Amino acid sequence: GKLKLYSELKVVDGLSGLTMLNPGVGLFVPEKIVFRTDHSTMNDKVKLLSGGCSGHDPLFTGYIGYGMLTAAVYGDEKGGPTTKQILFALRELNTPRGIIIIIKNNMDERLNFGLAMERARSEGILVDMVAVGDDCWESQENSVGRRCLTGLIAVIKVAGAMSEARKSMRDIYIMCRAMIISSLSSVFLKDSCIRLGTDIYGIGGCNKGKMDVHELIVDMVKYMTDAKRYFSLSVFPLNKFIVLVNSYNVDSLLLGYVAKELLHQLQKVNVCVERMYCATFISGPRPGFCISLVKDIDEELIRWMDNAVPTKYWPENALLQPVIRFISLESSHSLEVECEKTYVKGPRSSTMFYDYCLECASIACRAIISSEFMLNNMDPMGNYGSLIASGAKELLKVVEDNQLNRCKPYFFVTKIGNVLEESIVGATGTMYGLFFAGIGQYFLNYTEIVEVDIDLWGAAIKKGINTLAAMTNIKPDECTLIDALIPLYNGLVYKPKKHFVERIREGAEGAESGAQATAYMKSSKHLPDLPESGAQTVATIARAIFETVKRLYENEQKLLRDTTRVTCPIGIVELAPSEEPLLVAEEEREEVIVLGEEGEGEYYGDLYGFESDEEESEKEESDEGEEEEKLEEIVEEEEAKIEEAREGEETKEEEAIAEVKEEGEAKEEEEGEPAVAPAEPAGEEIVENVADIDAASDAKEEVEEREDMAVDE
């Protein structure tokens, strides 16, 4: 049968263990009363007693000690302590300063504690009682008034602090009765439904259906501060409040979210939150939380709330300022990958990758989205296909928005990894993020000089597989996506001399065979005779990429061999079958070659009318050689003419000098006197000879200038 944890025997054993762990408290076993071990020395202070049902720890044992309760009386799971137990505790706590009983406002506890109080009074014990009712939900099935929620802890904290300050019983009683507290509780039911206005057991209230926690907090604050409701608090600007947020189970994230949203909602109405305490003050059988607003009616109230206590169940951290302070840390790092980061290099894209990458990514995403139903049927949990499809849809949006960098493969794969990691919930998204992060890290080993080819892609995929295996400790033949990635890599690198399309085909077929092999592995990760869903996803992506690359490559080849094209030095002009060829030519060329059906398939290169690179280079070299030979011939001819002119001038000078000498000798013989050669005729002839020489030198300079111009051209 079901174990009764809070039966009488179990409660006694539990309390015994708690007292063993806490040397400051003791236990009266028969009556299930927990006392402070130093309570006998507190005769100069007012003592505090509480108690109730078991099963709401840390209430009450967690609040016994300095600055809190003096003792607590436990009942069982279904009811509170008996009058006999309570009276025994009052007799033990008897002090001249008096005893104050602080209990929850319900019929059972009011009757038992009230009867014990009256009997104790008849014995001369000074005692009084405060029943805390702070629930502001109006439709309560409680005949004694408002139910008690987390406000009980606030009253115990204030009363304990005043007792340690040796305040009188009258002052403590008045303060506890004067505290204005408004609390509202809610619990979470199955199917994300919420019940509002419950007690600590999760009973009562109304079902609000499916609701977000944000909407729930907004409704709770409106209800608690609605002036039209009888038990709600009237909130005015600059009112001061102390807030307690209680979680019925230990959930720090829920407490933090509720605290942040609650502060935001209270700031909208200009309410000053002086203190906020968030913890599991009172536990409950159902998950949920409770909000308590304590109005600051006295300056001393903050002092009593701030009084330090040694118990670990009272939170030390409290909001000391009415505003939320955000600390922003400036960092040069970002999760977004941007092309402007100069320190990230990596190889550049090849022409094939630049033209094919976006189409391949788009087709792969569409293939996964269309395979969602199939992948769900392969998954034992039945949701793998939906997870992968959600990531594929987000990535398809990124592709369509042209957010992928085609110039740098590093940025391309890193962006894909980030999108999949954020959009795929759980470990699956992280695994894809690790795989693409490994590929990107391998690309960073190269610079922009390197162009990505199929060999580099194969090595990068190997790095991605190793990164994924190292971080997840996944090995081959364990029925995971690794069993499809390894054959994919082997197909890409097995025959490096093959054409890249054939190598991609080998990789796709390898991924498909690896995925199919997982169907025969003994594992709980797949259904019998069906491939593992992760491996099948890899095979689907590989097949989609191969079919896309094959189609795009064949289209390019078809365009290059299209017979309905006209070639010219400027480019290729598309022709409709019924139209005449469009003649486009330059001045150097007069004819345009038109391809027809007769010449189809005979040539590949020069049939289009373009000269090959080798022919063009040979032609350029021959033209340069002919120009140099012509220039050399011109220079030689000019030099020969200059030499001939010089030789002719020298012979003329010699003949003129000889004639002058002969004439002088003849005159001497006739007259018998030395003859002097006339200078004028010889001078004129010499001048004429010099003019001829200058003309020759000018001609030589002209030749040299022409030669320089020819070389420059």
Side-chain angles (χ1 to χ4, degrees):
K2 185 178 179 181
L3 177 63
K4 295 183 178 180
L5 182 60
Y6 297 107
S7 63
E8 182 176 357
L9 180 61
K10 296 299 180 181
V11 171
V12 172
D13 292 341
L15 293 175
S16 300
L18 291 174
T19 56
M20 293 171 60
L21 296 174
N22 189 354
V25 298
L27 174 66
F28 286 93
V29 176
E31 308 299 336
K32 295 180 288 187
I33 304 172
V34 181
F35 287 91
R36 283 179 60 176
T37 55
D38 61 346
H39 74 278
S40 59
T41 63
M42 296 174 56
N43 291 329
D44 58 341
K45 301 176 183 177
V46 177
K47 297 180 181 180
L48 305 178
L49 176 67
S50 186
C53 299
S54 303
H56 299 288
D57 291 320
L59 188 73
F60 297 89
T61 308
Y63 305 115
I64 298 176
Y66 175 85
M68 301 290 275
L69 294 174
T70 309
V73 188
Y74 273 83
D76 56 17
E77 182 182 7
K78 295 182 180 179
T82 62
T83 304
K84 180 181 177 181
Q85 291 175 263
I86 301 167
L87 183 59
F88 185 89
L90 291 174
R91 290 170 179 170
E92 182 66 24
L93 294 178
N94 188 15
T95 175
R97 299 297 302 271
I99 303 170
I100 293 181
I101 301 173
I102 304 174
I103 59 171
K104 300 189 295 292
N105 186 33
N106 59 57
M107 180 62 73
D108 184 22
E109 294 181 12
R110 285 177 71 99
L111 289 176
N112 291 334
F113 277 92
L115 180 58
M117 181 183 67
E118 293 300 327
R119 289 180 178 177
R121 282 178 176 176
S122 65
E123 296 178 5
I125 300 175
L126 183 60
V127 59
D128 210 332
M129 184 173 69
V130 176
V132 180
D134 58 317
D135 192 354
C136 67
W137 188 258
E138 291 185 351
S139 57
Q140 302 179 20
E141 297 179 0
N142 191 9
S143 58
V144 292
R146 300 168 65 183
R147 298 173 302 197
C148 179
L149 296 174
T150 315
L152 173 68
I153 308 302
V155 175
I156 292 174
K157 180 66 176 64
V158 172
M162 295 181 70
S163 173
E164 295 297 336
R166 292 177 173 81
K167 294 292 183 180
S168 65
M169 180 179 176
R170 179 177 179 276
D171 293 340
I172 298 174
Y173 180 82
I174 292 174
M175 176 61 75
C176 293
R177 292 295 302 269
M179 291 178 65
I180 303 174
I181 306 174
S182 177
S183 301
L184 190 61
S185 173
S186 62
V187 296
F188 304 131
L189 306 177
K190 295 181 180 179
D191 301 329
S192 301
C193 293
I194 292 175
R195 179 174 288 274
L196 181 62
T198 64
D199 57 9
I200 59 177
Y201 301 95
I203 301 174
C206 68
N207 193 344
K208 303 290 287 186
K210 293 185 178 181
M211 178 184 286
D212 185 64
V213 179
H214 166 75
E215 298 176 358
L216 174 62
I217 295 172
V218 173
D219 291 348
M220 292 177 70
V221 172
K222 288 182 179 179
Y223 193 98
M224 296 169 66
T225 59
D226 188 0
K228 296 180 181 179
R229 301 188 182 277
Y230 187 79
F231 296 121
S232 299
L233 291 179
S234 299
V235 177
F236 299 97
L238 304 181
N239 282 159
K240 297 180 180 180
F241 285 92
I242 300 169
V243 181
L244 278 74
V245 180
N246 175 63
S247 174
Y248 292 123
N249 53 2
V250 180
D251 192 345
S252 59
L253 289 179
L254 175 63
L255 288 172
Y257 182 82
V258 173
K260 177 180 177 298
E261 193 62 37
L262 184 59
L263 285 172
H264 180 66
Q265 296 300 324
L266 292 176
Q267 284 176 355
K268 288 184 177 180
V269 291
N270 296 324
V271 171
C272 177
V273 179
E274 291 192 321
R275 299 290 186 273
M276 175 175 280
Y277 302 94
C278 300
T280 300
F281 300 104
I282 302 174
S283 60
R286 291 180 176 178
F289 63 93
C290 175
I291 299 174
S292 297
L293 300 179
V294 182
K295 199 167 186 178
D296 186 5
I297 58 174
D298 191 351
E299 293 181 358
E300 289 190 352
L301 185 63
I302 294 294
R303 172 189 168 190
W304 306 132
M305 294 295 291
D306 289 341
N307 185 55
V309 291
T311 176
K312 65 179 180 179
Y313 296 104
W314 179 260
E316 296 180 359
N317 55 336
L319 185 68
L320 302 179
Q321 294 188 8
V323 295
I324 304 175
R325 293 174 296 175
F326 292 95
I327 301 175
S328 60
L329 300 177
E330 295 184 1
S331 175
S332 60
H333 302 286
S334 174
L335 292 177
E336 292 296 327
V337 180
E338 301 175 358
C339 300
E340 289 76 16
K341 292 184 178 180
T342 56
Y343 62 88
V344 177
K345 297 297 182 182
R348 70 180 189 275
S349 298
S350 62
T351 304
M352 180 199 72
F353 176 79
Y354 188 87
D355 294 337
Y356 294 179
C357 63
L358 291 184
E359 185 70 13
C360 291
S362 176
I363 297 300
C365 291
R366 298 178 191 277
I368 293 299
I369 294 171
S370 62
S371 304
E372 177 181 356
F373 182 75
M374 177 189 70
L375 295 174
N376 281 335
N377 291 336
M378 293 180 178
D379 183 30
M381 302 298 294
N383 63 345
Y384 187 88
S386 300
L387 293 176
I388 296 297
S390 64
K393 292 175 183 177
E394 292 297 324
L395 183 57
L396 186 60
K397 293 180 182 177
V398 172
V399 174
E400 292 175 348
D401 293 341
N402 198 22
Q403 298 181 20
L404 294 179
N405 188 345
R406 297 189 292 171
C407 300
K408 286 291 191 68
Y410 167 78
F411 297 111
F412 185 85
V413 297
T414 307
K415 182 67 174 180
I416 292 177
N418 290 342
V419 172
L420 295 180
E421 180 184 2
E422 294 175 0
S423 57
I424 300 177
V425 180
T428 305
T430 308
M431 292 175 68
Y432 279 99
L434 284 172
F435 175 69
F436 284 102
I439 295 176
Q441 288 297 322
Y442 185 81
F443 282 146
L444 292 181
N445 296 328
Y446 297 88
T447 62
E448 293 177 325
I449 301 174
V450 180
E451 185 178 88
V452 172
D453 56 4
I454 189 68
D455 295 323
L456 197 58
W457 271 108
I461 290 174
K462 180 181 178 181
K463 174 65 175 178
I465 295 172
N466 292 335
T467 302
L468 178 60
M471 295 298 176
T472 58
N473 200 23
I474 296 176
K475 297 178 178 60
D477 301 330
E478 290 187 355
C479 198
T480 62
L481 56 87
I482 292 281
D483 295 318
L485 288 173
I486 293 177
L488 170 65
Y489 164 73
N490 293 333
L492 290 175
V493 301
Y494 179 65
K495 295 180 181 179
K497 294 184 179 180
K498 276 192 172 184
H499 194 267
F500 75 91
V501 178
E502 292 298 320
R503 293 172 65 176
I504 296 175
R505 181 182 63 81
E506 293 285 345
E509 292 178 353
E512 291 174 343
S513 62
Q516 192 62 34
T518 60
Y520 307 102
M521 296 180 183
K522 294 182 179 180
S523 176
S524 59
K525 298 178 181 179
H526 70 96
L527 298 175
D529 300 329
L530 289 177
E532 196 270 332
S533 51
Q536 183 61 39
T537 301
V538 175
T540 303
I541 294 173
R543 173 57 64 177
I545 292 176
F546 164 67
E547 295 295 340
T548 306
V549 171
K550 178 183 176 183
R551 174 174 55 83
L552 295 175
Y553 181 76
E554 290 178 350
N555 289 342
E556 283 187 359
Q557 298 304 311
K558 184 178 179 181
L559 289 174
L560 290 174
R561 293 182 172 86
D562 192 357
T563 58
T564 62
R565 291 192 169 207
V566 172
T567 60
C568 62
I570 296 176
I572 301 175
V573 180
E574 293 284 354
L575 290 180
S578 61
E579 293 180 358
E580 294 294 333
L582 178 63
L583 302 181
V584 180
E586 297 177 350
E587 296 178 359
E588 299 179 357
R589 189 159 180 169
E590 296 179 358
E591 297 181 359
V592 176
I593 300 176
V594 181
L595 296 181
E597 296 179 357
E598 298 179 357
E600 182 179 0
E602 295 181 0
Y603 299 94
Y604 180 77
D606 57 350
L607 186 61
Y608 289 151
F610 293 110
E611 294 180 350
S612 64
D613 294 339
E614 295 179 357
E615 293 175 352
E616 290 180 358
S617 60
E618 290 176 359
K619 183 178 179 181
E620 290 177 357
E621 291 177 358
S622 62
D623 293 342
E624 291 177 359
E626 291 178 358
E627 290 180 358
E628 291 178 357
E629 291 177 359
K630 291 179 180 180
L631 290 174
E632 290 178 358
E633 291 178 358
I634 293 171
V635 171
E636 290 177 356
E637 291 177 0
E638 296 294 336
E639 289 179 351
K641 289 180 180 180
I642 292 170
E643 290 296 331
E644 291 178 358
R646 286 180 180 176
E647 291 177 356
E649 295 298 331
E650 289 177 357
T651 54
K652 288 180 180 181
E653 289 178 0
E654 291 176 357
E655 291 177 356
I657 293 170
E659 290 179 358
V660 171
K661 287 181 179 180
E662 290 177 358
E663 292 178 356
E665 291 175 356
K667 288 181 179 180
E668 287 177 357
E669 291 177 358
E670 292 177 359
E671 298 178 358
E673 295 179 0
V676 180
E680 293 179 2
E684 292 176 0
E685 292 178 358
I686 290 172
V687 171
E688 291 177 0
N689 294 336
V690 171
D692 295 336
I693 293 171
D694 292 338
S697 64
D698 293 340
K700 183 178 180 181
E701 290 178 358
E702 259 183 12
V703 172
E704 292 177 353
E705 290 179 359
R706 290 173 60 188
E707 181 181 354
D708 293 338
M709 292 173 63
V711 171
D712 293 339
E713 291 176 359

